[in-house]
Amino acid sequence: MARTTRSVAPTEAGAALLDRLAPALAEIDAGLATLAEWRASPAGAVRLTTFHWLASTLLSRKLPGFLSSHPGVTVEVNVDDGLRDLVSLGSRCGHPVR
């Protein structure tokens, strides 16, 4: 860097390096812009395990509207009135709802 009390400018080597890195920096900017688009609306899978009463009263009314408003979200609902070790069951429980 060439510095004075009023300005900062890259050296010849620094300018050459910036020219060489410019395409990679543009790719990084594009990647970050794409990531920002994903933040604009929720997306992904949600797994719910609940008991019958809650599924039949609250979820049956609220879930369709939520899914309509958030098309990038899938919800897997497992209705089970018993006590289960959900971690050991893993992905074997539930049914995807779109």
Side-chain angles (χ1 to χ4, degrees), residues 5-94:
T5 57
R6 296 179 189 244
S7 67
V8 176
T11 61
E12 186 178 333
L17 178 62
L18 183 58
D19 288 343
R20 176 92 187 229
L21 294 177
L25 293 173
E27 282 295 314
I28 291 169
D29 283 343
L32 292 173
T34 299
L35 182 61
E37 291 172 11
W38 285 26
R39 291 181 182 167
S41 62
V46 176
R47 185 177 296 160
L48 298 173
T49 299
T50 187
F51 47 95
H52 185 266
W53 179 85
L54 187 66
S56 64
T57 57
L58 182 65
L59 287 179
S60 64
R61 288 192 322 245
K62 298 291 185 179
L63 195 55
F66 174 83
L67 292 172
S68 296
S69 299
H70 302 90
V73 175
T74 57
V75 177
E76 181 179 307
V77 178
N78 182 45
V79 179
D80 189 345
D81 289 325
L83 297 175
R84 307 275 186 238
D85 181 355
L86 300 178
V87 174
S88 68
L89 290 173
S91 64
R92 294 177 294 164
C93 60

